[in-house]
Amino acid sequence: MKVAVVGGGIAGLAAAWELRADAEVTVFEPAALGGKVRTSVFEGVAVDEGPDAFLTRSPAAVQLCSELGLDSELVAPAAGRTLLWAGGRLKPLPDGLVLGVPGRLAPVVRSGLLSPAGMARAGLDLVLPGTPAGDDVGVGELVTARLGREVADRLVEPLLGSIHAAPITGMSAAATAPQLLAAARRRRSLFRALREGDGSGGGRPPPGDGGPLFLAPRLGMGRIVQRLHEELHAAGVRVERFAVETVRVTPAGVEMGGSGIFDAAVLAVPAPVASRLLGAAAPPPLAAIELTSVSLVTLAYDAARMEVPAAVNGVLVPAGEGRLMTACSFGSNKWPQWATPGRVVVRVSVGRRGDTRADELDDGALVDRLSAELAAALGSRAAPLAARVSRWPEAFPFFRVGHPELVTGIRDDLRLRAPAVALAGASYGGAGIPACIASGRAAAAAVRERRLAARG
Ligand SMILES: Cc1cc2nc3c(=O)[nH]c(=O)nc-3n(C[C@H](O)[C@H](O)[C@H](O)COP(=O)(O)OP(=O)(O)OC[C@H]3O[C@@H](n4cnc5c(N)ncnc54)[C@H](O)[C@@H]3O)c2cc1C
């Protein structure tokens, strides 16, 4: 069986990995393999330009690393607090949050992040009538209805909004916060439901002894791509270094522009690209999955001049603060292997849905603006010694309310229109690395099974 994998990001590489033993696989990728998973040398050290870790709770990334022989290279980030830049001051994020929603009131009261009126409003969750959640609901709408605007704006938005580079209003709880949706369905009160959990542990913050929540290879996430590339090459997987222009389903097979006919194809590209490639065969809603551009700016400072708070891994910035940065991570605190003597490394994130200010600045202006914001946050006058700008156009899919159902419809429709083609990648079942790996492997398994079924 000949299979084309369009897109050599982590989802496409995972699809090729899944198929390596029982298909003749060609990966089409015009840029560097790995897509957004990219590690490069910054100030003499390997520092990630995109993701710097993966969640361990969903097993796909841990399992792939194990299959690639990377177990012994995996490290957890150093334990550290997260701060919130709220009202012009840095304050610790309270303990016991589930995706920003408090499961306990006392730490939130102590944090000083909510006004007395905001606290009182949050407490109404215990007595208000139930909020209908149905199959899906907006995270912002659900949290505001139960706990009030302040909890939504000051706690949930900075956390969940910075993960997805989008405001939480209209954001699918089913796709981005299934624990909250399950809690809302289980109980009238979100507080109570989160405190109890559902017996599976899914509604509670992870237990302290359950192993690290995040892991990454010591030499950066690019190491996973490097190992995949080595193993795929050894298994005979071909890599064609150009962009596919069209994917046409014909009685003879799946035609990749002028680059041959395949028995099946996995399209591991963002949804609007997949839609363009498929043309008339594309399920119409595919083109409507929206993407948001983000940038990640890595800064190096003289440690003697820039005082980064000890045992703090990063800062989240609520949209309402009016800053350009959405978050920053103190890389050399979080990842001791990034620290070099006398240097501090900070990664600053910008860009969220509806805020394109960073895209309008050139690299120099972006670095100036972000280093000024960082200096203001930390009360420092230090200027960076080195800077690197990593732009990620159209990077994050926006999961609007109803997204899981939309994706089911797209997949069902595509199976009828083009059974030899399957979709994978961040646009569908989640943008996190484990979800992308799982989607690549599932798409590969689907085309393999359909091929076997078609042969009878
Ligand atoms: C700054 C940043 C930080 C992040 N941090 C984390 C994190 O810490 N943890 C985490 O789990 N996730 C994180 N993510 C999310 C995660 O990195 C991405 O969702 C994931 O890497 C996407 O993988 P993918 O394979 O779906 O897509 P991509 O990586 O976008 O790969 C798609 C590939 O398709 C190629 N392509 C496009 N058009 C064509 C064509 N016509 N023909 C052939 N190839 C084509 C592209 O060149 C690209 O390489 C982060 C993302 C960003 C941008």
Side-chain angles (χ1 to χ4, degrees):
M1 162 158 118
K2 281 177 73 182
V3 181
V5 175
V6 184
I10 194 70
L13 295 178
W17 177 252
E18 178 70 30
L19 288 166
R20 73 197 183 283
D22 39 27
E24 206 181 299
V25 182
T26 304
V27 176
F28 292 89
E29 171 56 64
L33 287 181
K36 289 170 191 98
V37 180
R38 186 158 86 201
T39 307
S40 58
V41 175
F42 177 70
E43 290 288 282
V45 183
V47 174
D48 292 302
E49 296 194 48
D52 65 347
F54 55 77
L55 258 176
T56 56
R57 217 183 288 159
S58 346
V62 178
Q63 190 191 323
L64 178 64
C65 285
S66 188
E67 290 168 12
L68 293 169
L70 288 172
D71 294 298
S72 63
E73 296 186 29
L74 297 180
V75 289
R81 291 206 70 110
T82 301
L83 306 181
L84 209 62
W85 196 7
R89 292 180 50 206
L90 294 180
K91 297 175 185 168
L93 209 59
D95 291 328
L97 299 181
V98 178
L99 296 171
V101 177
R104 288 183 286 144
L105 268 180
V108 181
V109 174
R110 282 196 301 270
S111 73
L113 285 165
L114 300 187
S115 69
M119 287 300 315
R121 173 61 188 83
L124 287 182
D125 169 69
L126 296 166
V127 294
L128 282 172
T131 305
D135 289 338
D136 200 359
V137 64
V139 176
E141 288 83 344
L142 173 64
V143 174
T144 305
R146 298 305 319 164
L147 303 158
R149 245 293 39 109
E150 278 195 18
V151 170
D153 289 350
R154 298 188 188 180
L155 296 174
V156 183
E157 167 95 24
L159 234 141
L160 208 56
S162 85
I163 294 172
H164 294 279
I168 54 173
T169 304
M171 183 192 282
S172 162
T176 67
Q179 305 94 311
L180 296 189
L181 186 62
R185 285 193 193 136
R186 207 165 51 240
R187 276 277 203 169
R188 199 160 50 93
S189 157
L190 264 192
F191 274 142
R192 289 215 168 100
L194 290 176
R195 227 180 9 237
E196 292 164 2
D198 60 1
S200 71
R204 300 166 195 254
D209 59 355
L213 193 53
F214 287 96
L215 284 172
R218 186 185 308 279
L219 292 177
M221 293 289 287
R223 182 79 181 114
I224 302 175
V225 174
Q226 188 188 21
R227 284 290 301 129
L228 274 168
H229 192 188
E230 286 164 3
E231 291 291 327
L232 292 174
H233 180 74
V237 170
R238 288 174 42 188
V239 178
E240 294 288 357
R241 299 285 186 176
F242 56 86
V244 171
E245 299 286 335
T246 55
V247 173
R248 217 158 259 129
V249 183
T250 69
V254 189
E255 246 179 65
M256 290 294 124
S259 317
I261 297 190
F262 294 80
D263 299 310
V266 172
L267 306 187
V269 289
V273 179
S275 171
R276 189 166 47 74
L277 294 177
L278 285 166
L286 202 52
I289 297 178
E290 239 181 80
L291 301 171
T292 298
S293 300
V294 298
S295 298
L296 196 124
V297 177
T298 310
L299 304 168
Y301 289 91
D302 179 348
R305 303 209 57 221
M306 175 58 112
E307 215 172 297
V308 162
V312 169
N313 282 355
V315 176
L316 299 173
V317 188
E321 293 292 303
R323 308 284 176 177
L324 193 59
M325 75 162 77
T326 53
C328 78
S329 133
F330 300 133
S332 40
N333 278 3
K334 188 175 174 189
W335 302 109
Q337 68 272 22
W338 291 7
T340 50
R343 288 281 186 279
V344 166
V345 174
V346 186
R347 298 199 322 158
V348 187
S349 305
V350 282
R352 48 160 77 86
R353 183 169 186 249
D355 179 1
T356 55
R357 288 174 296 165
D359 303 339
E360 284 139 31
L361 298 175
D362 65 26
D363 286 1
L366 184 59
V367 168
D368 288 349
R369 177 77 186 271
L370 293 176
S371 46
E373 285 193 359
L374 194 61
L378 299 178
S380 152
R381 290 182 164 193
L385 300 173
R388 177 182 72 185
V389 177
S390 309
R391 304 234 182 215
W392 296 110
E394 310 210 313
F396 278 92
F398 179 62
F399 299 131
R400 66 178 71 249
V401 175
H403 182 81
E405 205 183 329
L406 181 94
V407 170
T408 303
I410 289 173
R411 291 197 194 283
D412 289 348
D413 191 6
L414 186 64
R415 198 173 306 135
L416 296 176
R417 290 162 182 254
V421 178
L423 302 167
S427 299
Y428 309 105
I433 296 296
C436 291
I437 292 171
S439 81
R441 296 188 87 151
V447 294
R448 183 173 49 209
E449 276 154 30
R450 283 180 218 157
R451 175 80 182 161
L452 288 175
R455 280 175 164 178

